[in-house]
Amino acid sequence: MMPKGMNVIKRDETAWQMWHRNGTRCPRGTVPIRRSTVHDVLRAKSLFDFGKKQRRSSLTRRRDAPDVVSGNGHEHAIAYTGSSEEVYGAKATINVWEPSIQVVNEFSLSQIWILSGSFDGSDLNSIEAGWQVSPELYGDSRPRLFTYWTSDSYQATGCYNLLCSGFVQTNSRIAIGAAISPISSYDANQYDITILIWKDPKVGNWWMSFGDGTLVGYWPEELFTHLATHATMVEWGGEVVNTRANGQHTSTQMGSGHFAEDGFGKASYFRNLEVVDTDNSLTSVHNILTLAENTNCYDIKSSYSNEWGTYFYYGGPGNNPQCP
């Protein structure tokens, strides 16, 4: 059962996928799966690490602060809800760019996090979806649709996309890991994607839809401990890996590679932030909090308008004179 207030408009949600352009379609009863090659695996540090995010170590912070820490070089610019709420899903429309990546084992992503559990322990549950540029994972620098999950703080469970059992794809026309096109250009045409994740109140699985309501697949309730009931926090925003390969901050870009204050057509955005409440209704988010570890490298600025609801601009260039 989709959340109330979710208008389903029938239109082609596959035009953005490059693999459809030559007329390729999946036979009835099958789903598209991006092939992993030997080269994909060899780019990872190990077979165990292939398709996994590195665990983020903990920092001292407020009890209601989100799971954003600089451990292992992960840096963020995010908006988030308070940690005392019961949340059953989230939605946003995300501006798509092609940020440059300095070294192959760094990435840049823009996503929604659905979270529950302890940020300081080993039981954090997370469901994630958005777009990412990851040369290590995909072998190129194109922005790609992705999913992720973990039930133990990124230690042993979970993976990207369909690289392990977990996310169950039901759509035969949308490929997880597919390159997104067209993408936004500086001071020119802007393109975005809409992602909704919500918990089915009857069966309990967490579903993902793309665009104007096209179902993609679900994360079974049994994958999780805390998220088996509900989420306690939602985050929206960007994440990069900073390996300091040359002893300096990475020049890997977040979003468009421009700071939030540059605004529309220049900075990347998330718009129309919504959450699914206890009544299985989509409601606009108010009073969001924002966080960026190093605003000289990447920053975020939130606002509200009638058309975009709660929204924010975010991102940055990484290395610059103020971010050495």
Side-chain angles (χ1 to χ4, degrees):
M1 182 195 303
M2 297 189 75
K4 288 173 257 182
M6 179 63 192
N7 294 321
V8 179
I9 302 172
K10 294 293 185 182
R11 68 182 180 94
D12 186 3
E13 290 297 349
T14 63
W16 57 272
Q17 297 184 110
M18 299 180 73
W19 68 281
H20 276 298
R21 292 180 179 174
N22 62 2
T24 302
R25 295 291 185 273
C26 290
R28 184 182 297 274
T30 67
V31 298
I33 297 177
R34 183 183 179 275
R35 284 184 182 171
S36 295
T37 68
V38 172
H39 296 292
D40 289 337
V41 178
L42 290 177
R43 284 191 301 272
K45 287 193 298 185
S46 69
L47 192 58
F48 177 80
D49 290 320
F50 177 59
K52 287 184 167 63
K53 280 189 178 183
Q54 297 302 301
R55 189 184 183 195
R56 300 184 263 179
S57 60
S58 178
L59 295 177
T60 302
R61 58 199 187 279
R62 295 200 327 269
R63 295 184 81 184
D64 65 341
D67 179 38
V68 291
V69 292
S70 298
N72 295 322
H74 289 245
E75 297 187 21
H76 309 77
I78 64 156
Y80 62 99
T81 63
S83 60
S84 59
E85 300 178 42
E86 285 189 14
V87 184
Y88 293 85
K91 183 183 180 186
T93 295
I94 312 171
N95 199 195
V96 181
W97 293 79
E98 189 176 87
S100 67
I101 312 297
Q102 182 177 329
V103 294
V104 69
N105 61 337
E106 295 179 341
F107 64 64
S108 181
L109 57 76
S110 298
Q111 66 168 62
I112 301 171
W113 287 261
I114 309 285
L115 298 160
S116 190
S118 171
F119 295 137
D120 295 316
S122 60
D123 65 342
L124 182 71
N125 289 198
S126 183
I127 290 173
E128 307 170 22
W131 63 262
Q132 70 177 160
V133 175
S134 176
E136 180 179 77
L137 191 58
Y138 304 106
D140 61 29
S141 296
R142 293 172 175 168
R144 293 174 177 272
L145 178 70
F146 82 94
T147 62
Y148 198 89
W149 70 275
T150 180
S151 62
D152 63 356
S153 299
Y154 306 93
Q155 293 182 103
T157 63
C159 62
Y160 282 111
N161 306 334
L162 304 176
L163 295 177
C164 66
S165 60
F167 184 78
V168 179
Q169 183 163 343
T170 59
N171 191 294
S172 65
R173 292 170 61 83
I174 292 178
I176 305 296
I180 300 172
S181 181
I183 57 173
S184 303
S185 299
Y186 184 82
D187 212 13
N189 291 338
Q190 300 299 296
Y191 297 94
D192 51 34
I193 60 174
T194 299
I195 290 175
L196 166 65
I197 301 168
W198 81 97
K199 188 171 177 56
D200 182 339
K202 292 186 176 178
V203 180
N205 299 326
W206 288 88
W207 280 87
M208 171 183 169
S209 74
F210 183 89
D212 290 317
T214 301
L215 296 178
V216 178
Y218 64 91
W219 293 268
E221 179 186 46
E222 298 76 31
L223 294 176
F224 305 104
T225 52
H226 300 288
L227 283 176
T229 53
H230 57 81
T232 55
M233 182 178 287
V234 176
E235 300 170 8
W236 300 263
E239 177 182 2
V240 301
V241 172
N242 170 29
T243 62
R244 298 191 68 88
N246 301 320
Q248 297 180 315
H249 192 286
T250 183
S251 59
T252 288
Q253 299 173 334
M254 181 189 291
S256 68
H258 292 268
F259 287 114
E261 51 266 30
D262 287 355
F264 183 77
K266 299 171 183 177
S268 188
Y269 61 79
F270 277 62
R271 62 179 174 89
N272 300 107
L273 306 189
E274 296 178 282
V275 294
V276 180
D277 62 19
T278 55
D279 190 39
N280 196 39
S281 297
L282 272 168
T283 59
S284 184
V285 177
H286 298 284
N287 304 317
I288 58 167
L289 302 164
T290 59
L291 184 150
E293 293 100 337
N294 189 342
T295 55
N296 289 326
C297 306
Y298 314 104
D299 68 357
I300 179 169
K301 293 188 182 303
S302 65
S303 190
Y304 182 88
S305 75
N306 289 334
E307 185 179 359
W308 278 22
T310 299
Y311 69 93
F312 60 85
Y313 291 103
Y314 71 103
N319 182 266
N320 67 78
Q322 283 71 49
C323 175

